[in-house]
């Protein structure tokens, strides 16, 4: 049973890798798009985190 599970899992992983690295008509793959957009997404996430922390500090300040 373990061998069958391993074979099915290996086939699934192989299929996913083939799908995400397959080139479209423009010669680009899903992996290429992810590599290109990852830095922009990281900057957006940092900005959102900083905005959330700044907004949270406003409400956390004690009022006397």
């Amino acid at each position: 049973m373990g061998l069958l599970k391993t074979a099915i899992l290996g086939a699934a992983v192989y299929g996913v890798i083939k799908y995400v690295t397959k080139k479209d008509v423009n010669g680009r793959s899903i992996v290429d798009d992810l590599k290109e957009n990852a830095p922009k997404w990281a900057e957006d996430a940092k900005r959102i985190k900083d905005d959330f922390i700044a907004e949270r500090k406003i409400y956390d300040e004690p009022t006397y």
Side-chain angles (χ1 to χ4, degrees), residues 3-64:
L3 182 61
L4 182 61
K5 285 181 183 178
T6 304
I8 292 172
L9 182 61
V13 169
Y14 174 76
V16 168
I17 291 173
K18 283 290 269 188
Y19 178 75
V20 299
T21 58
K22 182 180 176 183
K23 304 288 183 182
D24 61 2
V25 292
N26 297 329
R28 298 190 49 83
S29 67
I30 294 173
V31 174
D32 295 334
D33 293 337
L34 288 173
K35 283 183 192 177
E36 182 180 307
N37 293 327
K40 183 183 79 156
W41 293 336
E43 288 299 319
D44 289 346
K46 287 178 188 174
R47 183 185 47 78
I48 290 169
K49 179 195 73 154
D50 292 340
D51 290 346
F52 177 77
I53 289 173
E55 183 177 307
R56 199 57 203 158
K57 285 182 181 177
I58 292 171
Y59 296 117
D60 287 343
E61 292 178 359
T63 56
Y64 298 107

